[in-house]
Amino acid sequence: MARIVPDLSALAVPGTRIAMRVTPKASRNALVPADTSDGPLRVYVTTAPESGKANAAVLKLLAKALGLPKSRLSIVQGETGRDKLVEIG
């Protein structure tokens, strides 16, 4: 499966919050930057949204794009929804 992961290392500052819209059960894993500066990041993951597997896949993909360990990321809003807010610790 192809992965599309842009370099988001400029956002890797403690305290930064990243808004995103997640699409689980997608055909590929991908991060797509928003069309506008105030729009959410689009995240596509191939895993199903059961038992937190999609959230774990989102954090893993985002951590790779940021160049951080996934333990530094936490979902502060939207744990069970498609719209999420992730904070860098």
Side-chain angles (χ1 to χ4, degrees):
M1 273 172 237
R3 288 185 181 213
I4 301 172
V5 183
D7 181 14
L8 300 177
S9 59
L11 299 174
V13 178
T16 299
R17 289 185 170 199
I18 302 169
M20 62 185 64
R21 168 149 297 212
V22 177
T23 302
K25 294 171 52 174
S27 61
R28 69 189 193 290
N29 290 325
L31 289 172
V32 180
D35 293 334
T36 61
S37 62
D38 60 344
L41 179 70
R42 298 291 310 224
V43 182
Y44 300 91
V45 292
T46 57
T47 56
E50 49 192 43
S51 304
K53 291 178 185 175
N55 285 341
V58 166
L59 293 178
K60 181 178 178 181
L61 197 61
L62 186 59
K64 180 175 178 146
L66 292 168
L68 296 171
K70 62 184 176 182
S71 61
R72 296 250 331 258
L73 304 176
S74 62
I75 298 174
V76 294
Q77 187 176 347
E79 185 79 28
T80 60
R82 289 177 49 135
D83 294 321
K84 300 184 185 306
L85 189 63
V86 174
E87 184 173 28
I88 299 171

